[in-house]
Amino acid sequence: MNTQNGICSQPVNSVLSVETAAKDSTGRLRERKECSDAEEDNSNKVLKDTLRLRTEEMDQREVLSSYCAEHPHLPKPPDVMTTKTISSARVRRRKLKANQENLTDPMGPWSSTDSLQGDGASWPPISSTDVLQNGQNAADSALSDSGRDVSTSGDQEGGLSDPEGKNTNLYDPTVCRAKIQLPPLQPSGPSPAAELCAASTSLKTSNQIDRDCEDYEAAGRVGSEHLHSNHCDSRLSETMVSDNTSLNSMKSTFSVLNPIRPRDARNRSFLEGSVLGHGALLGAGELDRYFPERRAGVYIVTWNMQGEKDFPSNLDDLLLPLDAEIAQDLYIIGVQEGCADRREWEIRLQETLGPYYVMLYAAAHGVLYLSVFIRRDLIWFCSEVEHATVTTRIISQIKTKGAVGVSFTFFGTSFLFITSHFTSGENKVYERILDYNKIIEALTLPRMLPDTNPYRSVASDVTTRFDEVFWFGDFNFRLSKDRAGVEVILKDELGSDMGPLLQYDQLSKEMKDGAIFKGFQEAPIHFLPTYKFDIGYDVYDTTSKQRTPSYTDRILYRSRQKDDIKVVRYSCCSSVKTSDHRPVIGIFQVKLQPGRDNIPLGAGQFDRDLYLEGIRRRITRELKWKEAMKNQKNSSVCSIS
């Protein structure tokens, strides 16, 4: 029985084992199929979620594009994303949705407005374009990873893993900061055309008023009320003119200064400047900018004041005549027998010339005064100023006769201005020639300033050491004719032809013979003799001495190069009658040359105290005039018919 049972039981057990194995195999197949179905369902779900996410992103991008600032798109990072879990994808979607909500909220911390107005907060602003771009990259990575095995280890914070295992956070501030690139601002429209208000077509840049006033006036025309309000004098603003230089400087927030490039600031040197170098302060570039035709205006006045204490009530006719087309760049005023209060005289000059000019230098020798005024925007191009004096009196303590010389270099052109008072007397021609020779030999100029052309200089003649020389004053040369004969000529209708008188002029004869003022020239004279008048009247000397009318007050000039000096005007100021001499005026156009920066520069020095006092008096005078006009307007006269 046991044998039979053993024999019979073995087949049964085999069958059972086979059935069990079949069942196990069928179960494992069913389980594998179920797992495969589950994986396929999960993959399809991830794919559907990703497609839905991309659709939402595209819709959100269309919504944001209507009001979000547009920024340059950055290139996509390379697709190095590894496998991601389903939970990490959900976290990314939640963060993306939160960022999109913050972007759409105008008051949110990540709004595009705050990103432009932020001032260095702990988290830099992220533009909407960058967030959408990151979401796009995440979606693409999810699509590419949908068919791969899913891993539960790794990124639970929404970060991305690179092939080397280093995490890169999409919302890292440093990454976002590198991606923010704002486009350059573009003007909303073309700038309005600026019109010139110059009264004359021949007006040149070198003869216009200061550029700061031009810029303010031009700014007022284009609507800058703030700059225009700085002008308190409406009458000055009506006469302002503009130029291309000022208009170009206004393109940068109405700046009144021309821009300087860093390269120019690095290369500019004030010790070893080149004549043709772009960075030289006195070079051709700066000279052409201020003087396109390379000619500067020089206004010269010589006047024997006869020691009078009383000044004319108004010096405008002397320095700023209305019949002159433009104001000049340099004003040189030489006085003989000046008033006792020299400082008061200089203040009156500053008051008359106004805020556009400053006194560069002033020198004196007894009662001989020499004042140099220059446009305030040109003082930077002047060297240090030197002066020297010479007395021609036997007793040197008496300083009524002699000369005062002032010299300086302007750009690359050297100037010498001399005012002198020679020996008086109708027949003392020889003594006046001696005075001239003593002055040219004893005037020790220049001292520290380099000679611009030493090969043409003569040690015994100071006038040969400078490019441009102006010599003016009371030379005391007379007409070699008696008083009666001169009066007969004056009674004739001379008009502008003074030849009948000048044929008796002692100075013209001596210059023609080469005895005095060698190399000098004088403009044609078309005005009556300036000496000697009764004070306050247009009548020649009626005293017992009956002095002969003469051309004692003269202005002469000399230049190293021919035609460097052109005469614009040569006349007398007949409206000033406080002396027995009439002031003589000369206006010249002088050619300038570029220079080197190896000269001792004046560094913009001028008499500041004199300037402030002169402007204060000018303002006071203006206020008094306005008050008088107001009172005159308010006054009324009643009449009974």
Side-chain angles (χ1 to χ4, degrees):
M1 251 337 259
N2 293 336
T3 303
Q4 293 177 353
N5 293 338
I7 296 173
C8 294
S9 62
Q10 183 174 4
V12 173
N13 293 334
S14 299
V15 171
L16 291 174
S17 61
V18 170
E19 291 178 356
T20 302
K23 291 180 180 180
D24 294 338
S25 176
T26 303
R28 286 194 297 271
L29 291 175
R30 187 180 295 107
E31 290 175 358
R32 290 180 180 177
K33 183 176 181 181
E34 291 175 358
C35 291
S36 177
D37 295 337
E39 291 177 357
E40 183 176 0
D41 293 339
N42 291 336
S43 300
N44 294 334
K45 184 177 182 180
V46 171
L47 181 59
K48 291 180 180 180
D49 292 340
T50 304
L51 293 177
R52 182 175 56 82
L53 177 63
R54 295 188 63 180
T55 303
E56 292 176 356
E57 291 171 354
M58 295 299 293
D59 296 337
Q60 187 67 28
R61 184 179 300 177
E62 293 178 358
V63 174
L64 292 177
S65 62
S66 60
Y67 55 85
C68 290
E70 195 68 22
H71 298 283
H73 295 286
L74 299 177
K76 292 182 179 181
D79 188 9
V80 295
M81 300 178 59
T82 58
T83 59
K84 298 292 177 289
T85 60
I86 298 176
S87 60
S88 65
R90 293 177 179 176
V91 170
R92 285 197 300 270
R93 289 197 299 271
R94 287 196 298 270
K95 290 188 176 183
L96 179 61
K97 183 176 181 181
N99 288 328
Q100 291 174 351
E101 292 176 354
N102 290 335
L103 283 175
T104 56
D105 185 6
M107 302 302 295
W110 298 95
S111 63
S112 59
T113 304
D114 291 337
S115 67
L116 295 177
Q117 298 178 351
D119 54 353
S122 60
W123 289 92
I126 300 178
S127 63
S128 60
T129 306
D130 293 333
V131 175
L132 294 177
Q133 184 67 34
N134 293 335
Q136 180 70 26
N137 294 338
D140 294 341
S141 300
L143 283 175
S144 61
D145 294 341
S146 60
R148 301 179 184 178
D149 294 338
V150 181
S151 175
T152 59
S153 63
D155 190 3
Q156 295 296 329
E157 297 296 329
L160 302 179
S161 300
D162 56 11
E164 297 179 0
K166 298 180 180 180
N167 293 332
T168 303
N169 195 345
L170 288 175
Y171 306 99
D172 188 2
T174 59
V175 176
C176 297
R177 184 183 297 111
K179 292 182 179 181
I180 297 176
Q181 296 181 359
L182 297 179
L185 297 177
Q186 300 295 334
S188 59
S191 301
E195 60 180 20
L196 297 177
C197 58
S200 173
T201 57
S202 62
L203 194 62
K204 301 299 186 295
T205 305
S206 61
N207 298 318
Q208 294 173 355
I209 61 176
D210 291 356
R211 286 189 172 82
D212 53 359
C213 294
E214 298 167 12
D215 283 330
Y216 284 134
E217 175 64 14
R221 290 198 299 269
V222 298
S224 179
E225 299 179 356
H226 174 68
L227 293 179
H228 186 69
S229 64
N230 290 337
H231 285 287
C232 60
D233 193 343
S234 59
R235 296 188 303 167
L236 288 178
S237 62
E238 294 176 356
T239 61
M240 293 174 186
V241 294
S242 59
D243 60 358
N244 294 331
T245 304
S246 297
L247 294 179
N248 291 335
S249 66
M250 288 173 55
K251 293 180 180 179
S252 176
T253 65
F254 297 104
S255 173
V256 298
L257 296 177
N258 291 322
I260 300 177
R261 297 178 298 180
R263 181 172 67 253
D264 297 337
R266 286 190 176 191
N267 296 333
R268 173 168 289 180
S269 172
F270 299 123
L271 297 179
E272 298 179 359
S274 173
V275 174
L276 300 178
H278 179 71
L281 176 66
L282 307 179
E286 290 293 312
L287 176 59
D288 293 338
R289 187 163 71 93
Y290 282 87
F291 300 97
E293 295 185 359
R294 295 194 175 184
R295 286 191 175 272
V298 179
Y299 193 103
I300 295 179
V301 175
T302 179
W303 183 28
N304 188 319
M305 299 180 66
Q306 201 186 11
E308 292 294 331
K309 296 181 180 179
D310 296 332
F311 299 121
S313 58
N314 195 324
L315 295 177
D316 289 343
D317 292 340
L318 180 64
L319 301 176
L320 301 171
L322 294 178
D323 55 350
E325 183 181 4
I326 50 178
Q328 305 304 315
D329 304 299
L330 290 169
Y331 279 80
I332 318 296
I333 300 97
V335 171
Q336 307 83 42
E337 297 183 15
C339 60
D341 192 348
R342 171 190 163 200
R343 187 66 174 179
E344 181 65 21
W345 166 248
E346 293 170 352
I347 293 175
R348 287 292 302 276
L349 295 176
Q350 179 69 75
E351 178 186 352
T352 302
L353 291 175
Y356 303 128
Y357 295 89
V358 295
M359 192 173 76
L360 180 66
Y361 200 79
H365 176 70
V367 290
L368 286 172
Y369 305 154
L370 183 57
S371 305
V372 179
F373 286 82
I374 188 173
R375 282 179 51 181
R376 65 182 186 184
D377 51 349
L378 299 177
I379 58 177
W380 307 105
F381 310 105
C382 290
S383 69
E384 293 182 352
V385 184
E386 299 176 339
H387 88 277
T389 61
V390 175
T391 181
T392 56
R393 287 284 193 179
I394 298 177
I395 302 176
S396 60
Q397 286 77 11
I398 303 177
K399 299 178 181 179
T400 57
K401 298 294 189 294
V404 180
V406 171
S407 64
F408 60 90
T409 300
F410 186 57
F411 282 97
T413 303
S414 57
F415 285 85
L416 173 63
F417 300 96
I418 303 175
T419 183
S420 61
H421 194 184
F422 291 166
T423 302
S424 61
E426 294 184 2
N427 300 321
K428 294 185 179 181
V429 177
Y430 180 72
E431 287 78 0
R432 288 188 276 271
I433 295 176
L434 291 179
D435 293 343
Y436 164 80
N437 290 327
K438 184 176 181 179
I439 292 172
I440 63 175
E441 294 177 2
L443 206 59
T444 56
L445 291 173
R447 293 191 180 95
M448 301 298 296
L449 297 177
D451 193 341
T452 55
N453 194 346
Y455 301 102
R456 302 185 61 179
S457 300
V458 179
S460 60
D461 189 351
V462 66
T463 62
T464 62
R465 305 173 204 155
F466 297 88
D467 296 321
E468 318 297 340
V469 181
F470 293 90
W471 197 328
F472 45 94
D474 183 1
F475 298 151
N476 262 321
F477 284 95
R478 312 298 176 87
L479 294 179
S480 300
K481 196 173 183 60
D482 56 10
R483 172 69 181 265
V486 172
E487 288 182 347
V488 172
I489 298 175
L490 290 175
K491 290 180 180 179
D492 297 336
E493 294 295 335
L494 295 177
S496 61
D497 183 15
M498 298 298 164
L501 288 176
L502 293 173
Q503 63 179 339
Y504 303 105
D505 181 50
Q506 295 175 352
L507 178 58
S508 300
K509 179 180 181 300
E510 297 300 328
M511 289 181 62
K512 185 177 181 180
D513 295 340
I516 193 173
F517 290 112
K518 298 177 182 178
F520 281 84
Q521 303 178 59
E522 184 180 18
I525 297 177
H526 300 293
F527 52 89
L528 295 173
T530 58
Y531 174 83
K532 169 179 174 35
F533 288 91
D534 290 342
I535 297 178
Y537 300 94
D538 291 326
V539 179
Y540 289 104
D541 187 17
T542 59
T543 63
S544 58
K545 293 184 179 181
Q546 292 287 304
R547 293 182 177 88
T548 303
S550 301
Y551 293 96
T552 58
D553 308 283
R554 313 287 275 270
I555 301 176
L556 307 179
Y557 60 91
R558 172 180 178 172
S559 61
R560 280 177 171 171
Q561 301 294 333
K562 186 179 180 181
D563 298 332
D564 274 2
I565 299 177
K566 292 185 177 180
V567 180
V568 178
R569 178 178 180 180
Y570 190 38
S571 63
C572 70
C573 183
S574 58
S575 62
V576 178
K577 305 176 183 180
T578 58
S579 171
D580 58 351
H581 289 255
R582 294 290 185 264
V584 175
I585 298 171
I587 302 178
F588 305 89
Q589 289 289 322
V590 183
K591 187 175 182 180
L592 300 177
Q593 298 292 339
R596 300 173 64 90
D597 292 342
N598 59 351
I599 63 174
L601 295 174
Q605 296 180 359
F606 66 95
D607 195 328
R608 181 175 180 272
D609 294 336
L610 178 78
Y611 179 83
L612 295 178
E613 179 62 22
I615 300 307
R616 185 189 65 81
R617 292 192 183 185
R618 185 182 179 91
I619 295 174
T620 303
R621 183 184 66 178
E622 187 73 14
L623 294 177
K624 290 182 179 179
W625 178 82
K626 290 183 177 180
E627 186 67 21
M629 295 298 296
K630 181 179 180 180
N631 294 337
Q632 182 179 0
K633 183 177 180 181
N634 294 335
S635 64
S636 60
V637 178
C638 299
S639 60
I640 300 175
S641 57

